[in-house]
Each structure stands twice: as C-alpha cells, then as structure tokens.
C-alpha cells in the first residue's frame, strides 16, 4: 500500500503553529515512507474563509519547506461530488431527511439538560412515513440530512499515537447532520465531517494524521467510511501544543501564526526544527539540531508523545540562535537586509554589500532572532545616535576628553586598520594618562552612544568606512567638554 497523507487547513485564519506542526508530522511521515503529501484547502465555511488566509497558508508551508506533492485542492470546487455521495447514502437508506425546526431541537436539548443528560438528537425523524414528510414539506419546513448512527455500535481503531481508542455509538450525539437545510427536493451544503471523509476516500489517503482536537470526529468518520463502502485509513492524533499554563495554545497567547514567527526573525529551518521537537523525540544519539530531511530519515510515530507539548520560547530562541550563529555570512546578510530596510535604515544592498557582510559577521554571534539586528546595529545606520545616560557619564570622566581628542587628531592622518586602531587607542592612553580600559569604554560610548554592543574595533572600522566615526567623536567631545 502506498502511503498518502494530507494536510487539510481551513483558511479561516493565518497558518497557525498547530496546523503547521501537523503539516510537519505528515510531511516527515510521507518522506520517511516515500509517500505522497497532499494539500487540501477546506474552505467550505464560506463566511469565515478568505483568499488572503489561503495565500498565507500556502506561503507559510512553502517558507517552512513543507513542499506538497499534490494540490492544493479546494473543497468549494468539489460540491457536486459531495452531493452525489449524500444522495448515495439517501438512496441506500443510510441517511434521511429530518424536518425538525431549531425551536424543536432546542426543546429536546433543554429537556435533556433538565434531566442531567448530555445533549443528543433523539433520532425522532428517522422513520417518518411519506405522509408525515409530506405534511412537514407542506408547512414549508426545510430539512437537513442526517446519517444514521447505531447506538449499539462500538467503534475502535488503533491510533498511531494513542494505541487502541474505542468509542460507543450512543456517545456520538445521535444521527448526525451531514448536509445543511435545503428545499425538500434538494441537498443543502454538505458539512465538515462528511466532506472530509469523501475527500480522504477520493484522494486515497492511507493515514489521517491530525491534531488531537479532532479525535471526537474520528468515530463518526469511521462509520461514514463503512457506509460509503471504503477502506478505513489509519489514524494518528498528535498531541496539542500547550501554553505555559498547560492550556491549548490560542490566539490569546500572542504570537501563534507562522507569518508572525517569520516577521520576528525566526528562520524557517529553526522553526521547523523546533516544531518537530514539539511532540517528537529524536532517537538516542541524534542531535537536537536537525533539518527536516534528517528528521524524516528517523521519523516514526513510536516516538511521538501522547501528552500535550508545552510551547517553550527559550528553547525556540536557543535553536534559532544555533542556526543564526552557523549560517554562512552571505546567507545571513540576505536575511538581515529586509529587516534593516523595513526599519528605515538607508543602505545600498549592492554597493554596501561588503560592508553589510562585515556587519553581519560582527553581530552573528549575538543574534537570537533576525529582528534583534535592528536595535543592535542602529549606531551604524543613523546619523545622530544620541548618548545613553551611562555613555554620557562615561564621556564626562576625567581625562576622557583628552584621550578622545588625541584619537580624533590621529585619525585625520591615519588610515584606520585593526592595527592602527590599536595604536590610536594606545596614543589616547598615553595622552590622557588613564587606563586602557577607560579609553576603550569611552571610545565605545563615543562611537556607539552606549556602553554595550558588538565588538569595538570592528564596529569602529565599519563606522570609519562610512565616515561616521569622526563626526561621532566630535559630538562626544562636546559632551566630554561640557563637564569641564
Ligand atoms: N480542516 C481541519 C482543520 O483545519 C482539518 C481536518 C482534518 O485534518 O481532518 O482543523
């Protein structure tokens, strides 16, 4: 049997990390098995589905490297097939039209609630006589189509993650609606649990791998497979992603969509790596930093945990920094340029290329996210960086003005290199008769406006290449002199 899996997102929001993680597991399994990964867009909720969400989902999956082999297929384009299958169940007597009004259904629920029972449809329209039907139609009632569920059935499957799962027919809420209300001689819009099954049969899906939140749909869907005369696929329900409080990660937890993670400067490789670890443990001896291809070689559901996976920002940050620290400088520069540009920093991506690469190499060891580069390198891009209070206080210390003046004077006749930079610092030390540490700290304050930041001499060289170092030293001298 060839392995065929699918990811079936609903375009009612941007690509969510939970859906993306389900896509990762499907992709890994497909690649491990040499199978096929299918993309299906479940856009039957016409009110909430939007083309821009579909685009966001396609872009996000592509960015993460979760390439699909077939699709995207859109459910809204397949309504004829679904209606045909509803008709088939009606013809076989496995489904029927139910004419209950919303008020009647509500009354059933209220009565059940009053008796402390779980709400369920009591199947009262399962065996209407033709006369009863005719009377309801004459009243103008619009029927839904319900699929018969046998209360006595026990439904069991071997879940790839959870082992044996069993469910009782009577716990499924009574005969289920598979198509919305329509005129009595028509079929209304077929609903989620039904169309998923029709599609999974039609697309010959061998393994349905999806989030644990779908587990309650599976018994109903198994009954539909049987009714439609199809082989039941294997199911695997992957653990949910939880917030720190142990609840399902939701929009209220802030960043949850893949495009937000992307904007913040997580790399696709790091995010895919982290999402894989959210629920899957690599085999012993395998490094925690791996590509999707490497994970695919070792992937199996035996190593997928049953328990929910807590989202851990520290871990994600650590993984991202590992990727950023090891990226070739050309690639890192390509990734950073858009962040600098969107911060409004003026740069010429072609003319400044060598300078930008030196800068990327300088900050690479301190980057956790690409976005960090914006604040970290501000002193290199803006003309008037300003001085923090700590920097200004440093500049006002005794001897600092003298040291900086000596460096500035020397600079005017010296070509700055790593070696001449050291000699100029030494000249400053001698001119002001202060410790080298004081000069270094003051020079940093003068050149960058702060006491912390990337390495001093390479920063100075970069500023020098753009002729910003002398004006900065002059500004700093004005601050230093203001104290005397
Ligand atoms: N469309 C469903 C969702 O976005 C997925 C359905 C499934 O995987 O069976 O949650």
């Amino acid at each position: 049997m060839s392995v065929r899996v699918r990811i079936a997102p609903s375009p009612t929001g941007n690509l969510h990390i939970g859906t993306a993680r389900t896509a990762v597991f499907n992709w890994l399994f497909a690649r491990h098995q040499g199978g096929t990964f299918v993309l299906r867009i479940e856009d039957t909720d016409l009110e909430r589905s939007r083309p821009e969400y579909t685009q966001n989902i396609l872009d996000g999956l592509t960015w993460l490297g979760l390439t699909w082999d077939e699709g995207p297929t859109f459910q809204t384009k397949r309504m004829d097939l679904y209606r045909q299958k509803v008709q088939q169940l009606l013809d076989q007597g496995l489904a029927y039209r139910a004419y209950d009004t919303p008020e009647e259904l509500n009354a059933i629920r209220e009565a059940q609630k009053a008796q402390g029972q779980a709400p369920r449809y009591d199947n009262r329209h399962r065996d209407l006589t033709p006369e009863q039907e005719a009377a309801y139609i004459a009243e103008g009632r619009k029927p839904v189509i319900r699929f018969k569920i046998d209360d006595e059935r026990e439904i069991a499957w071997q879940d790839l993650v959870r082992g044996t799962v069993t469910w009782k027919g009577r716990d499924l809420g009574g005969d289920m609606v598979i198509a919305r209300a329509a005129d009595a001689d028509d079929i209304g819009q077929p609903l989620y649990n039904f169309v998923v099954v029709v599609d999974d049969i039609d697309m010959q899906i061998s393994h349905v791998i999806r989030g644990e939140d779908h587990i309650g749909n599976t018994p109903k869907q198994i009954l539909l497979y049987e009714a439609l005369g199809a082989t039941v696929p294997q199911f695997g329900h992957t653990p949910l992603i939880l917030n720190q409080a142990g609840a399902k990660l939701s929009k209220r937890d802030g960043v949850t969509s893949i495009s937000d993670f992307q904007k913040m400067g997580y790399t696709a490789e790091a995010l895919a790596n982290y999402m894989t670890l959210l629920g899957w443990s690599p085999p012993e001896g395998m490094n925690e930093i791996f590509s999707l291809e490497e994970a695919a070689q070792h992937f199996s559901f035996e190593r997928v945990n049953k328990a929910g996976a807590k989202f851990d920002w520290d871990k994600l940050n650590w993984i991202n920094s590992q990727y950023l620290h090891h990226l070739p400088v050309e690639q890192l520069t390509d990734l950073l340029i858009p962040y600098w540009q969107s911060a409004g920093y003026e740069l010429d991506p072609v003319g400044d290329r060598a300078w930008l690469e030196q800068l990327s190499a300088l900050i690479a060891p301190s980057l956790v996210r690409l976005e960090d580069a914006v604040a970290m390198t501000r002193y290199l891009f803006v003309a008037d960086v300003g001085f923090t209070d700590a920097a200004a206080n440093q500049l006002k210390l005794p001897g600092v003005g003298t040291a900086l003046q000596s460096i500035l004077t020397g600079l005017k006749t010296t070509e700055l290199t790593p070696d001449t930079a050291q000699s100029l610092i030494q000249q400053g030390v001698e001119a002001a008769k202060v410790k080298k540490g004081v000069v270094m700290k003051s020079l940093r304050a003068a050149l960058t406006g702060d006491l912390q930041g990337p390495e001093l001499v390479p920063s100075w060289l970069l500023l020098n290449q753009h002729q910003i170092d002398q004006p900065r030293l002059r500004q700093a001298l004005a601050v230093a002199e203001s104290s005397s």
Side-chain angles (χ1 to χ4, degrees):
M1 180 196 59
S2 69
V3 164
R4 291 177 58 84
V5 295
R6 82 317 190 259
I7 184 73
S10 305
T12 52
N14 287 335
L15 178 60
H16 186 270
I17 183 151
T19 310
R21 206 277 313 260
T22 304
V24 168
F25 284 177
N26 274 284
W27 189 95
L28 292 174
F29 184 63
R31 294 292 172 263
H32 183 80
Q33 299 279 339
T36 305
F37 177 51
V38 178
L39 171 60
R40 181 170 77 224
I41 302 292
E42 304 207 317
D43 55 349
T44 51
D45 184 341
L46 300 177
E47 264 155 44
R48 292 169 60 225
S49 296
R50 300 254 167 78
E52 56 270 31
Y53 292 143
T54 300
Q55 195 55 50
N56 180 279
I57 291 167
L58 300 183
D59 291 347
L61 292 173
T62 307
W63 179 69
L64 288 167
L66 300 170
T67 41
W68 53 94
D69 307 308
E70 288 177 21
T73 318
F74 292 84
Q75 287 188 323
T76 42
K77 303 231 164 74
R78 296 163 60 80
M79 284 297 160
D80 287 348
L81 172 68
Y82 309 141
R83 293 211 170 92
Q84 209 180 308
K85 295 293 170 185
V86 172
Q87 189 60 51
Q88 180 184 324
L89 294 185
L90 284 168
D91 293 344
Q92 291 174 323
L94 299 172
Y96 61 93
R97 289 192 162 84
Y99 295 83
D100 313 88
T101 62
E103 294 74 28
E104 286 166 350
L105 292 173
N106 207 25
I108 301 176
R109 270 194 296 270
E110 288 303 322
Q112 286 163 341
K113 218 161 105 189
Q115 289 178 26
Q117 294 166 351
R120 52 174 279 128
Y121 179 59
D122 60 7
N123 305 343
R124 56 177 64 181
H125 283 193
R126 200 191 256 196
D127 298 304
L128 293 180
T129 63
E131 292 72 26
Q132 285 171 314
E133 280 210 50
Y136 285 135
I137 294 167
E139 275 180 38
R141 294 191 182 203
K142 290 197 187 302
V144 298
I145 296 173
R146 288 188 182 266
F147 171 65
K148 293 179 184 170
I149 293 182
D150 178 1
D151 274 357
E152 302 311 315
R153 260 298 296 268
E154 193 173 88
I155 304 119
W157 74 92
Q158 280 303 317
D159 196 278
L160 294 164
V161 179
R162 319 186 69 79
T164 310
V165 183
T166 47
W167 220 280
K168 290 200 173 65
R170 74 172 56 84
D171 293 335
L172 297 179
D175 293 344
M176 70 188 260
V177 180
I178 56 171
R180 254 191 246 285
D183 289 335
D185 55 355
D186 198 4
I187 291 170
Q189 194 194 339
L191 294 180
Y192 164 71
N193 265 316
F194 182 74
V195 301
V196 164
V197 172
V198 173
D199 276 343
D200 285 341
I201 295 171
D202 190 57
M203 296 172 185
Q204 295 169 32
I205 299 302
S206 59
H207 296 72
V208 173
I209 297 153
R210 57 185 172 197
E212 194 191 295
D213 43 342
H214 284 287
I215 206 159
N217 291 323
T218 301
K220 298 178 190 173
Q221 294 186 0
I222 289 176
L223 295 176
L224 284 167
Y225 278 97
E226 292 174 1
L228 292 165
T231 313
V232 179
Q234 295 218 60
F235 289 94
H237 291 91
T238 56
L240 298 180
I241 302 176
L242 308 176
N243 63 19
Q244 278 312 307
K248 185 180 164 186
L249 195 73
S250 77
K251 283 210 179 106
R252 264 164 295 152
D253 294 302
V255 177
T256 47
S257 68
I258 295 302
S259 44
D260 288 338
F261 285 101
Q262 183 179 4
K263 271 188 225 122
M264 288 168 79
Y266 291 100
T267 64
E269 293 78 5
L271 193 54
N273 187 157
Y274 178 63
M275 286 194 291
T276 309
L277 290 172
L278 269 176
W280 182 69
S281 326
E284 222 151 290
M286 183 173 163
N287 200 310
E288 275 201 310
I289 302 292
F290 48 70
S291 65
L292 283 174
E293 285 73 19
E294 281 162 340
Q297 284 171 22
H298 302 280
F299 186 79
S300 78
F301 281 100
E302 270 131 55
R303 304 193 70 85
V304 172
N305 304 323
K306 285 194 200 49
K310 265 200 186 158
F311 191 87
D312 180 350
W313 283 101
D314 291 341
K315 182 80 182 254
L316 172 60
N317 285 338
W318 178 77
I319 292 178
N320 204 53
S321 62
Q322 295 303 303
Y323 277 90
L324 293 181
H325 299 176
H326 294 104
L327 263 188
V329 73
E330 300 78 27
Q331 267 183 48
L332 180 61
T333 309
D334 289 342
L335 291 174
L336 288 174
I337 286 174
Y339 286 85
W340 286 319
Q341 285 175 325
S342 61
Y345 295 168
E346 256 175 60
L347 57 88
D348 172 358
V350 180
D352 288 336
R353 182 73 198 187
W355 186 85
L356 292 167
E357 286 191 7
Q358 286 172 45
L359 173 54
S360 302
L362 172 64
I363 60 171
S366 338
L367 283 178
V368 174
R369 299 178 314 188
L370 294 165
E371 196 186 44
D372 300 341
V374 170
M376 220 179 254
T377 62
R378 189 172 162 271
Y379 70 96
L380 285 153
F381 289 101
V382 300
D384 196 0
V385 71
F387 298 100
T388 62
D389 289 348
N393 290 339
Q394 175 68 29
L395 293 174
K396 289 175 189 161
L397 291 179
V400 168
T402 312
L404 294 182
Q405 183 59 61
S406 145
I407 291 172
L408 178 61
T409 310
L411 251 186
K412 287 181 186 151
T413 53
T414 312
E415 194 193 328
L416 195 69
T417 65
D419 288 341
T420 59
Q422 292 300 343
S423 337
L424 288 172
I425 291 168
Q426 197 49 42
Q427 272 177 39
V429 170
E430 281 154 24
K433 303 200 172 39
V434 289
K435 288 207 173 110
K436 187 175 174 190
V438 174
V439 176
M440 298 284 280
K441 202 167 166 185
S442 309
L443 186 59
R444 175 184 290 286
L447 292 174
T448 73
D450 204 349
L451 295 184
Q452 277 106 37
E455 251 186 282
L456 178 60
V457 170
S459 293
W460 187 7
L461 289 164
L462 287 167
L463 287 163
N464 180 266
Q465 286 176 47
H466 279 185
Q467 284 105 41
I468 317 175
D469 55 343
Q470 295 193 33
R472 285 267 164 87
L473 283 165
R474 279 193 286 274
Q475 283 175 332
L477 278 169
V479 176
E481 279 152 18
S482 70
S483 68
S484 52

